[in-house]
Amino acid sequence: MQGGHTPWVHQNAPPPAPPQPDTARANFRWTSSADRIDPFAEGPHYGPVLEPFLVRAVSATIRVNPLVSPPTDSHDDYLRWNMIFPTSTCYRTTGPKRSWIKGREAPATFPRLSQIRIISRSFPWMITVKARRQNIGVTCGEVVEAISAYFHGDVAKKEYEGVTTRRRREIWQAYQFNRSTDSNVPGGHLGEQLRRLDWLGSNSRWGGIVRSDEFVKEACGDVLPCTFELKCIPSYPLTPEEANEQQRIARHAENRSRSRSRSRPTSMASRSNSNEGRDTETTTEEDDEEYE
């Protein structure tokens, strides 16, 4: 149409074809739905990594990766681990009974977080897990490793003395049992020091982490962002295969410890000899507080 005039159309001409959809846009919608990335997929993708203070600011709803969540009737792929043993004994229920590999680098939450905090009804401490790589966020493997490292730390003397007599007796019994020759415990390589894992008693089995705003508020006085509850559930007797594997790992850890002790640098020995006759041991305030 030019100059306001209607163009002439032959009376027998076929009607114009209906408008066609935007093919590119339709294909984009289809591929976006079909090829959508799993929010818990490994790698630096699918959204930003949030700092804890931003979670509350943007009212983000945090979901926990099913792999590190408690098992459910509809989800049978989860971690199995007695937390008094090294993380090398943790395995996935759907995989071979060996130390888990697949899923270690998967994000522990969605949206991804730069750090999380963990509390529990089974111990009085707060465990902080920080992401080693800021573009990926806290991973499932980092959660397990941080918990294990914390549990193998020493209990301060004032912490032990601050609980009831009955609770001290329970902790002491767990301490004795964990260092026994029973195949269900690590044994003597734990050392003489009272460790946080002894605090768990019989509830030493991994039960997953969950969002529990009610418990967080009860324990911390407020609903702190990025704070989750660790479920500690009763341990179970090991199968003969698991017992053999635990003992093998324990022997390996003990041999590595002895090897490190024998391979100290000569310079360290020389420095020690030069200081003979003097007390060169440094005691920190934290060491003074450790249970002995």
Side-chain angles (χ1 to χ4, degrees), residues 99-110:
S99 184
W100 65 304
I101 299 175
K102 184 179 180 182
R104 278 183 177 268
E105 299 301 315
T109 64
F110 178 79

Side-chain angles (χ1 to χ4, degrees), residues 58-70:
V58 301
S59 300
T61 300
I62 306 299
R63 293 163 51 195
V64 178
N65 191 322
L67 181 60
V68 291
S69 300

Side-chain angles (χ1 to χ4, degrees), residues 121 212-223:
R121 303 171 196 268
S212 181
D213 292 346
E214 182 178 347
F215 173 62
V216 171
K217 185 174 182 179
E218 174 188 337
C220 305
D222 193 9
V223 181

Side-chain angles (χ1 to χ4, degrees), residues 17-88:
Q20 298 298 315
D22 188 333
T23 304
R25 184 173 301 175
N27 288 339
F28 173 78
R29 286 196 301 267
W30 182 84
T31 55
S32 296
S33 175
D35 300 334
R36 189 162 52 106
I37 299 175
D38 178 0
F40 297 112
E42 299 182 11
H45 46 240
Y46 215 85
V49 177
L50 299 182
E51 298 287 342
F53 73 91
L54 282 178
V55 172
R56 176 172 288 180
V58 301
S59 300
T61 300
I62 306 299
R63 293 163 51 195
V64 178
N65 191 322
L67 181 60
V68 291
S69 300
T72 64
D73 293 338
S74 59
H75 184 76
D76 60 357
D77 184 15
Y78 56 91
L79 298 180
R80 213 173 167 183
W81 175 39
N82 189 336
M83 296 181 289
I84 65 175
F85 284 96
T87 59
S88 57

Side-chain angles (χ1 to χ4, degrees), residues 23-268:
T23 304
R25 184 173 301 175
N27 288 339
F28 173 78
R29 286 196 301 267
W30 182 84
T31 55
S32 296
S33 175
D35 300 334
R36 189 162 52 106
I37 299 175
D38 178 0
F40 297 112
E42 299 182 11
H45 46 240
Y46 215 85
V49 177
L50 299 182
E51 298 287 342
F53 73 91
L54 282 178
V55 172
R56 176 172 288 180
V58 301
S59 300
T61 300
I62 306 299
R63 293 163 51 195
V64 178
N65 191 322
L67 181 60
V68 291
S69 300
T72 64
D73 293 338
S74 59
H75 184 76
D76 60 357
D77 184 15
Y78 56 91
L79 298 180
R80 213 173 167 183
W81 175 39
N82 189 336
M83 296 181 289
I84 65 175
F85 284 96
T87 59
S88 57
T89 63
C90 178
Y91 64 92
R92 291 179 71 154
T93 53
T94 56
K97 289 188 178 179
R98 65 181 185 188
S99 184
W100 65 304
I101 299 175
K102 184 179 180 182
R104 278 183 177 268
E105 299 301 315
T109 64
F110 178 79
R112 299 162 187 252
L113 301 173
S114 63
Q115 73 174 49
I116 66 173
R117 290 171 292 202
I118 296 173
I119 60 176
S120 179
R121 303 171 196 268
S122 299
F123 54 82
W125 310 288
M126 176 180 286
I127 304 173
T128 300
V129 186
K130 295 184 178 180
R132 292 193 300 266
R133 292 161 294 179
Q134 291 300 313
N135 65 328
I136 292 179
V138 175
T139 65
C140 294
E142 288 171 343
V143 170
V144 171
E145 295 293 339
I147 290 173
S148 180
Y150 195 85
F151 282 165
H152 279 79
D154 298 335
V155 174
K157 184 176 181 180
K158 63 181 180 181
E159 292 175 326
Y160 178 75
E161 294 178 343
V163 299
T164 64
T165 302
R166 178 180 178 181
R167 185 72 181 108
R168 283 201 300 270
R169 187 181 302 115
E170 293 171 348
I171 296 170
W172 177 249
Q173 290 173 347
Y175 168 90
Q176 297 280 58
F177 179 62
N178 288 339
R179 287 152 186 79
S180 70
T181 57
D182 192 290
S183 61
N184 292 283
V185 294
H189 81 269
L190 286 177
E192 295 183 359
Q193 203 70 9
L194 180 68
R195 300 183 184 276
R196 296 189 184 103
L197 57 84
D198 296 314
W199 208 282
L200 299 176
S202 61
N203 294 325
S204 61
R205 182 180 168 192
W206 166 271
I209 60 174
V210 296
R211 281 192 57 192
S212 181
D213 292 346
E214 182 178 347
F215 173 62
V216 171
K217 185 174 182 179
E218 174 188 337
C220 305
D222 193 9
V223 181
L224 303 179
C226 307
T227 304
F228 304 91
E229 178 186 0
L230 170 63
K231 298 288 188 179
C232 303
I233 57 180
S235 58
Y236 51 87
L238 299 176
T239 64
E241 293 79 9
E242 290 174 328
N244 290 335
E245 180 65 12
Q246 303 286 27
Q247 292 172 359
R248 185 192 66 79
I249 292 171
R251 288 194 300 269
H252 179 67
E254 189 172 357
N255 290 337
R256 287 184 60 188
S257 178
R258 290 176 178 174
S259 177
R260 284 195 298 267
S261 299
R262 289 195 299 265
S263 61
R264 289 179 179 176
T266 305
S267 59
M268 292 291 292

